Amino acid sequence: MPVDLSGPLMSAFRKAKKEFEEAIKKGDKETAKKKALECARILKQLSKYDEFNRESYLKKAKKWEAIAKEVEEGHYGVKRKQKPIKEGGKSGRGGSEAGADEGDQFKRYVENLIAKSKVKWSDIGGLEEVKRLIMETVVISALQRPQSIQPWKGILLFGPPGTGKTLLASAAAGSLNATFFSVKASNVLSKYFGESTKIITALYEVARERAPSIVFMDEIDALTTKRSGEQSEASRRMLSTLLTELDGFQDKKSDILVLTLAATNTPWDLDEAVLSRFPRRIYVPLPDKKATKEIIKINTRGLDISRLDLDAIAEESVRRLYSGRDIKNLCQEAVWNMIREENPDLHKLAELPYEKLRRRSLRTRPLEMRDFEEAFKKIKSPLTRKDIERYEKWAEEFGG
Ligand SMILES: Nc1ncnc2c1ncn2[C@@H]1O[C@H](COP(=O)(O)OP(=O)(O)OP(=O)(O)O)[C@@H](O)[C@H]1O
Ligand SMILES: [Mg+2]
């Protein structure tokens, strides 16, 4: 995987474009040509990092090459003498190119955040209350109701890693058949450094157009203002746009559902401004024994588990502070232990052509306790009691 350099490249592009414009103003042909070619080069590089907009970048790069040629031949800007080059303007070809159809570009980017979700509520073990709350929100928004009754617009899910926050958001979208936008705050921030506010605006614009929509804002703590460094300015701006969106759109059209679900592992990093927009803050805890058993069943579907002592496995999982993700991994390990035992020559089949493989089937047997005993050795929870206490304390103080 190449390192994503699109953020710095975008800044470099803007700088080159500005220098180009200055050179044009001064009549410095030589520099203008150099800068136009630099713009083209950067756009070509950008096309490698952003497959969604690759074509558009390449097209723009071509235009900049044409501009360089026009400059060299001395007829650049001749037809547009009265038109100053404006940032973001749509005054046709030429210097304004970088900003042209920028809004569309962001909308296109946002369209690519739309994810198809096939997750169902029944894929989630435990978390009954959370499920109910989200279901209620979704249903209320669709029902005829007095104006004073409004569904929640923002729900914050917080809890340790791997407890089902992303899963919940996907299930909400899947069950509703809603347009599901999956946004990782840190991703948007780094990818479009300095442009993230435009993404947020475009995001909610498209979300409203395609309502009912669920905007899933993962790692919302990445937007916290508590951190320092260069990124904090960009995150601050992105955050304030997000907060405005969360405040704003209910008045415009109250009967469409655009539900923002935000998730974080570090709720204590969030400041008041964010928290106040998420009046519902839901603790997504580690699974208890009952939930653990459900998660084991979900992750061993299609296999015979009648010989397992689920209570014993669940108790051990809870004792080890396993998250849903850990339990899933545990089951996978156990299943693999069984498969390897039953199919010792499995790896040798790798030689066979795909068609032949398709005709064979895997040998299985009922899962045994020893499969799990082996598996337990491999799965370690990163959490300590102290971590859990911290979540519980925060939940008590700020949750609800
Ligand atoms: N309650 C659950 N029921 C069933 N499976 C679960 C549950 N919780 C977690 N899992 C399993 O663990 C995987 C990871 O869960 P998910 O991505 O939802 O965690 P998360 O809370 O979003 O974690 P993170 O905070 O690290 O983003 C899921 O894909 C699922 O297989
Ligand atoms: Mg997640």
Side-chain angles (χ1 to χ4, degrees):
M1 279 277 282
V3 182
D4 187 349
L5 290 173
S6 53
L9 281 172
M10 208 56 145
S11 313
F13 173 79
R14 252 180 249 117
K15 183 162 168 279
K17 188 194 154 209
K18 203 162 154 230
E19 285 164 356
F20 165 82
E21 286 163 0
E22 274 159 15
I24 288 287
K25 256 188 229 153
K26 279 194 228 146
D28 180 353
K29 255 172 69 172
E30 203 50 43
T31 309
K33 182 188 151 196
K34 227 171 77 192
K35 291 295 160 188
L37 288 174
E38 194 176 323
C39 284
R41 210 181 56 239
I42 297 172
L43 286 166
K44 277 185 191 165
Q45 270 176 293
L46 267 165
S47 74
K48 290 185 205 152
Y49 294 109
D50 185 350
E51 57 179 306
F52 304 136
N53 292 307
R54 176 180 296 141
E55 288 305 311
S56 150
Y57 279 131
L58 289 176
K59 226 164 97 188
K60 285 176 185 174
K62 273 226 163 71
K63 284 195 188 174
W64 276 101
E65 278 166 358
I67 290 172
K69 202 158 173 238
E70 282 180 34
V71 171
E72 187 178 284
E73 290 164 1
H75 48 77
Y76 174 77
V78 173
K79 289 170 244 160
R80 283 176 277 110
K81 241 188 183 135
Q82 275 81 29
K83 273 191 194 166
I85 298 161
K86 265 196 260 146
E87 175 73 39
K90 289 197 178 186
S91 52
R93 64 200 185 124
S96 62
E97 176 44 38
D101 58 62
E102 206 177 50
D104 289 350
Q105 184 194 325
F106 289 113
K107 273 182 123 172
R108 233 175 301 142
Y109 175 73
V110 164
E111 303 251 337
N112 281 298
L113 296 174
I114 297 178
K116 280 264 174 297
S117 171
K118 283 194 187 141
V119 179
K120 300 182 294 301
W121 291 115
S122 56
D123 294 329
I124 305 179
L127 303 174
E128 301 305 332
E129 245 176 273
V130 192
K131 285 198 244 177
R132 208 173 94 187
L133 180 83
I134 298 175
M135 285 181 201
E136 282 168 357
T137 300
V138 162
V139 171
I140 284 185
S141 68
L143 294 178
Q144 301 288 330
R145 60 184 189 277
Q147 222 183 353
S148 56
I149 300 176
Q150 292 296 341
W152 302 105
K153 281 190 302 174
I155 299 180
L156 176 71
L157 305 171
F158 68 94
T163 45
K165 298 179 289 299
T166 302
L167 206 60
L168 279 163
S170 316
S175 71
L176 237 191
N177 225 339
T179 317
F180 184 45
F181 298 84
S182 184
V183 187
K184 223 177 214 165
S186 60
N187 227 341
V188 171
L189 273 174
S190 62
K191 193 156 192 193
Y192 281 85
F193 182 75
E195 306 276 15
S196 33
T197 57
K198 290 176 189 157
I199 293 199
I200 296 294
T201 308
L203 175 65
Y204 280 91
E205 216 176 297
V206 178
R208 280 191 294 271
E209 281 168 18
R210 302 214 179 184
S213 294
I214 290 182
V215 176
F216 179 55
M217 190 67 64
D218 210 354
E219 296 178 358
I220 191 150
D221 48 278
L223 303 184
T224 180
T225 50
K226 286 183 188 169
R227 289 177 203 176
S228 56
E230 213 185 349
Q231 195 129 333
S232 79
E233 179 55 31
S235 16
R236 227 191 329 272
R237 270 185 285 139
M238 176 168 165
L239 184 60
S240 83
T241 313
L242 174 65
L243 298 183
T244 314
E245 287 295 343
L246 284 168
D247 281 340
F249 57 74
Q250 188 153 33
D251 317 321
K252 292 182 195 159
K253 228 182 172 188
S254 58
D255 57 342
I256 61 170
L257 175 75
V258 179
L259 172 64
T260 304
L261 289 173
T264 180
N265 298 139
T266 53
W268 36 83
D269 276 343
L270 302 177
D271 60 17
E272 252 321 300
V274 179
L275 286 178
S276 65
R277 263 65 168 209
F278 292 95
R280 288 303 325 233
R281 302 154 200 165
I282 300 178
Y283 182 29
V284 186
L286 289 183
D288 59 12
K289 194 174 150 188
K290 182 167 169 274
T292 301
K293 288 205 284 191
E294 284 172 30
I295 300 174
I296 294 172
K297 284 184 192 153
I298 291 168
N299 285 287
T300 50
R301 276 178 189 154
L303 294 164
D304 184 347
I305 56 167
S306 58
R307 296 187 193 192
L308 296 180
D309 181 350
L310 283 185
D311 281 306
I313 297 176
E315 257 159 46
E316 181 62 11
S317 298
V318 171
R319 199 186 63 76
R320 287 168 168 251
L321 304 180
Y322 277 4
S323 66
R325 184 180 287 139
D326 294 327
I327 298 166
K328 177 192 172 181
N329 291 338
L330 176 82
C331 293
Q332 241 158 33
E333 279 291 339
V335 169
W336 268 104
N337 289 340
M338 176 272 280
I339 288 178
R340 283 207 196 94
E341 208 178 281
E342 290 299 301
N343 307 268
D345 293 331
L346 197 60
H347 60 284
K348 291 187 190 148
L349 298 183
E351 310 273 301
L352 289 184
Y354 182 75
E355 277 314 310
K356 278 202 175 154
L357 278 178
R358 292 290 295 161
R359 268 178 259 133
R360 292 177 173 238
S361 50
L362 205 57
R363 270 196 296 276
T364 62
R365 62 157 165 76
L367 284 166
E368 299 280 355
M369 284 307 273
R370 64 186 144 90
D371 300 321
F372 275 84
E373 277 151 23
E374 276 306 305
F376 268 118
K377 292 182 195 156
K378 299 223 177 99
I379 313 292
K380 297 241 170 350
S381 162
L383 296 166
T384 64
R385 287 253 169 252
K386 240 186 160 156
D387 297 327
I388 305 300
E389 274 163 26
R390 193 171 185 195
Y391 285 109
E392 284 170 354
K393 225 172 127 208
W394 199 89
E396 210 165 283
E397 204 169 333
F398 303 100

